[in-house]
Amino acid sequence: MESTFTNSTTAVLRTRGGAVDSFPPALRRSFEDCAVQVVAVMAACRALVSRAILPLHFHYVCRGVMLTHIREKKRWMKAYTLIMERKRKMEGPPPPKPRSQQPNFDYNAEVEAFSARLQESFSMELLKTAFVNTCYLRSEEERRRALGLDLETTALNLKDNDELCVHGQQFTKGFLNDWCRGSFPSLPEEGVAAVVGHLTGSEVMCHVARNLALEDLTMSAEFPVPDETLQGTFFAVIGALDQSSGPVRAGLFIRDFLVSQLIGKDLFDMWKVVDPMGLLVKELTRKGIALPEPRLIRSAGASTVLPLYFVGLYSERKLLAQGPGETVLAAEEEAARVALRKTYGFTENRRPWDFTAPGEKLQKPSVQALTSG
Amino acid sequence: MTARGTPSRFLQSVLHNGVGRYVCQLKRISLIFSKKGQGSLGVRDFIEEGVVDFAKSSPGTVVYISPQSCRITKIVAEYLNGNVKEETVTNKTSQEIAELITKLSNQSGLDIIRIRKPFHTDSSSIQGQWHPFTNRPPSIDPVGSQTK
């Protein structure tokens, strides 16, 4: 009796215009095997009825399940949703995709906008070369070889950014060294090297590169772009700028984006000095000033958990600097550091650096007071 | 909710923008609208009239127009610091959309949450920060010359 029922429904389905073919294979198999499952038959009847009424919209759920609008409660929906949730929780978040593989990205337009946004006129070829990394070229060639493409017809006409990177690195380091020596004439060589090393280190450079949207345009083998690759790309961009617009514009670019990262930073965050007192003694002997004598100036709470001592450094009975600390030795070291900051001109209340654009001039206050007090 | 329950941040700028040159922080703006829906009328009018002027006036921003069959008309703005802001513009007029886009291009990408202080400085003290020992007379008299 069941088989006749199945046969009749199958015949009916077939006469309604081959609807069986578009059913999912599981349902089709159940019909063909004649191993009747009541649920499948009911679903088939339901789908048949609604299909006869509304053949217009297809609700795409996933590759295996496609159904028309059914008025009844979709009893499989809750189980399906729960399974997908469990799967998503098990697998974790999907791996990040580079911006170039997400919708709405036109590489040419983005590169031109990059150049316009920074108010620099780059030469497009140099800039596009600067973004191409060696790892990308290697991975692209391997991919093409794996796909079996003929290497002659599909050769990659891209040059990588090695030369630009080296050139940019040399230019940046040279410019930063000159700037540092010009702004802090009394800073010794190790100090200058430490500051320049901090500014050209991968942390600062990658931070600046990420906030200038270089990561979107970089062509590299892996995503997220590793720090060294990003740093190399940034150097290559600076090299491209130098070759397109000249050293003056490139210098202004480095000043605006790298030197401004020094704002608010303390000298000894970047330059690890183990023995500040010895360094201070060396500085003072070089200048011919008498050696510093430490004296305890203030103390408070000596027998408590948080004692405070102020130690002052005197040379020829004149106060050089004073510094606080929890122990007398710590206070002496801090006083030596304060004295070094004063000597090198890296105090918090120093004159700010000049960031004016090349066309403008700093307005000096030239108006004299009208009333004398 | 109260100030403690909602997120807050300090006044800051992305990469000290403005100290050197000023860089427009909006890098990409995408208009997602439908070609025939009533909700996208404003966006379609804006595309006819104002989008080209906007694109010309901000050369550092890439404008993407993507007509798709969608019910909700959206503007997606991406900023240099990575933040993505989506605004729904269904049933808005062309004028309102123009103002919204100007507002988006003037923002930096930082979150629009409570700003704790309306000021920020990197050099907080010129003459030195006060501590209880500033200007305090010494507790012992000056030690005179130690001649015996």
Side-chain angles (χ1 to χ4, degrees):
Chain A
M1 211 251 336
E2 283 178 338
S3 54
T4 49
F5 183 54
T6 324
N7 284 336
S8 62
T9 44
T10 324
V12 164
L13 288 167
R14 289 223 177 87
T15 52
R16 292 280 178 181
V20 180
D21 294 359
S22 51
F23 277 163
L27 278 178
R28 208 190 309 147
R29 251 180 272 123
S30 71
F31 285 134
E32 288 166 3
D33 295 346
C34 286
V36 178
Q37 293 174 31
V38 180
V39 174
V41 173
M42 295 290 282
C45 292
R46 229 184 288 130
L48 167 66
V49 164
S50 56
R51 189 176 286 247
I53 297 173
L54 283 177
L56 292 175
H57 301 283
F58 286 84
H59 181 60
Y60 186 80
V61 178
C62 74
R63 215 171 53 218
V65 180
M66 188 153 111
L67 45 82
T68 55
H69 284 281
I70 307 175
R71 277 179 293 199
E72 295 84 1
K73 181 181 167 81
K74 300 165 192 53
R75 292 165 65 198
W76 51 266
M77 186 64 98
K78 180 180 178 185
Y80 175 76
T81 329
L82 287 176
I83 286 179
M84 292 306 279
E85 280 299 317
R86 229 173 283 149
K87 177 165 171 272
R88 216 171 291 143
K89 225 197 293 184
M90 238 179 25
E91 288 174 0
K97 267 200 295 186
R99 184 66 182 81
S100 43
Q101 291 171 15
Q102 291 172 22
N104 279 344
F105 189 84
D106 176 23
Y107 193 74
N108 201 34
E110 294 281 345
V111 172
E112 291 193 9
F114 176 82
S115 161
R117 185 187 302 143
L118 299 173
Q119 294 142 32
E120 302 284 356
S121 50
F122 284 90
S123 121
M124 282 298 129
E125 304 162 18
L126 278 176
L127 186 56
K128 286 189 182 174
T129 323
F131 288 125
V132 177
N133 289 297
T134 326
C135 50
Y136 173 76
L137 286 181
R138 251 182 269 135
S139 76
E140 264 300 300
E141 275 179 17
E142 268 183 42
R143 206 166 63 96
R144 291 186 184 206
R145 220 175 294 132
L147 285 171
L149 291 172
D150 192 13
L151 271 180
E152 287 165 3
T153 49
T154 57
L156 273 180
N157 287 335
L158 295 173
K159 240 178 49 167
D160 64 6
N161 61 4
D162 276 344
E163 303 165 10
L164 281 174
C165 177
V166 167
H167 174 69
Q169 197 172 9
Q170 284 172 353
F171 180 81
T172 314
K173 292 209 160 128
F175 178 85
L176 284 175
N177 272 315
D178 292 339
W179 178 88
C180 220
R181 283 193 205 105
S183 308
F184 305 106
S186 39
L187 195 59
E189 284 308 312
E190 306 120 26
V192 171
V195 170
V196 171
H198 169 259
L199 284 180
T200 51
S202 74
E203 274 183 31
V204 169
M205 291 212 73
C206 288
H207 171 71
V208 175
R210 290 209 166 90
N211 283 318
L212 283 180
L214 247 111
E215 214 179 351
D216 292 347
L217 296 169
T218 316
M219 300 214 249
S220 84
E222 308 151 5
F223 186 81
V225 184
D227 280 357
E228 292 166 7
T229 318
L230 195 56
Q231 187 185 11
T233 315
F234 197 12
F235 278 131
V237 167
I238 296 178
L241 178 59
D242 180 34
Q243 288 184 2
S244 321
S245 319
V248 178
R249 290 294 311 179
L252 285 171
F253 179 88
I254 297 176
R255 183 199 70 171
D256 284 342
F257 291 107
L258 284 184
V259 173
S260 60
Q261 296 300 310
L262 274 184
I263 294 176
K265 287 214 82 105
D266 180 37
L267 177 63
F268 296 113
D269 288 340
M270 305 180 280
W271 181 20
K272 301 280 176 244
V273 168
V274 178
D275 180 24
M277 196 54 145
L279 189 56
L280 180 64
V281 163
K282 231 190 330 180
E283 283 293 318
L284 294 180
T285 41
R286 209 165 48 87
K287 285 192 191 164
I289 308 177
L291 295 184
E293 299 171 9
R295 295 282 183 270
L296 184 66
I297 299 180
R298 309 278 193 181
S299 79
S303 57
T304 61
V305 173
L306 294 173
L308 173 64
Y309 300 101
F310 268 84
V311 165
L313 294 176
Y314 289 85
S315 78
E316 285 176 0
R317 320 269 178 100
K318 284 210 203 78
L319 183 67
L320 272 184
Q322 56 171 333
E326 279 211 4
T327 61
V328 184
L329 287 171
E332 189 184 326
E333 191 188 315
E334 186 56 35
R337 281 185 200 270
V338 172
L340 283 172
R341 280 192 206 109
K342 273 196 191 159
T343 332
Y344 298 145
F346 220 104
T347 50
E348 259 199 21
N349 56 357
R350 63 179 175 258
R351 192 189 177 83
W353 302 306
D354 184 17
F355 282 104
T356 47
E360 308 166 359
K361 281 196 195 143
L362 257 183
Q363 300 277 338
K364 287 221 173 115
S366 54
V367 178
Q368 302 291 326
L370 289 176
T371 54
S372 55
Chain B
M1 277 283 274
T2 52
R4 202 168 202 176
T6 47
S8 58
R9 64 175 173 95
F10 286 98
L11 184 67
Q12 56 194 223
S13 60
V14 179
L15 283 193
H16 299 281
N17 196 21
V19 170
R21 64 196 69 183
Y22 172 72
V23 174
C24 176
Q25 293 291 310
L26 182 64
K27 71 179 170 188
R28 212 170 285 129
I29 193 157
S30 317
L31 302 173
I32 298 167
F33 65 103
S34 128
K35 280 199 263 194
K36 283 232 183 107
Q38 313 94 310
S40 313
L41 183 64
V43 176
R44 272 178 267 138
D45 287 340
F46 176 71
I47 289 171
E48 275 172 35
E49 307 153 11
V51 82
V52 182
D53 297 328
F54 168 73
K56 280 196 189 135
S57 67
S58 39
T61 312
V62 192
V63 180
Y64 291 96
I65 313 281
S66 60
Q68 10 175 290
S69 73
C70 62
R71 275 194 163 164
I72 309 170
T73 320
K74 279 197 250 188
I75 293 183
V76 180
E78 292 174 50
Y79 291 94
L80 284 183
N81 65 347
N83 279 1
V84 176
K85 196 137 196 271
E86 282 188 16
E87 301 264 355
T88 317
V89 288
T90 339
N91 294 327
K92 281 207 160 82
T93 62
S94 168
Q95 173 72 15
E96 287 171 12
I97 290 175
E99 286 169 7
L100 175 68
I101 287 193
T102 336
K103 182 185 86 150
L104 287 175
S105 75
N106 289 336
Q107 283 177 351
S108 78
L110 300 163
D111 307 324
I112 310 288
I113 48 183
R114 178 181 70 96
I115 295 184
R116 291 191 186 195
K117 309 183 202 192
F119 36 80
H120 169 81
T121 175
D122 285 302
S123 49
S124 43
S125 165
I126 301 293
Q127 299 179 32
Q129 191 169 33
W130 183 92
H131 52 81
F133 290 117
T134 324
N135 302 327
R136 198 193 184 112
S139 52
I140 51 174
D141 294 327
V143 177
S145 56
Q146 306 272 310
T147 49
K148 181 73 187 336

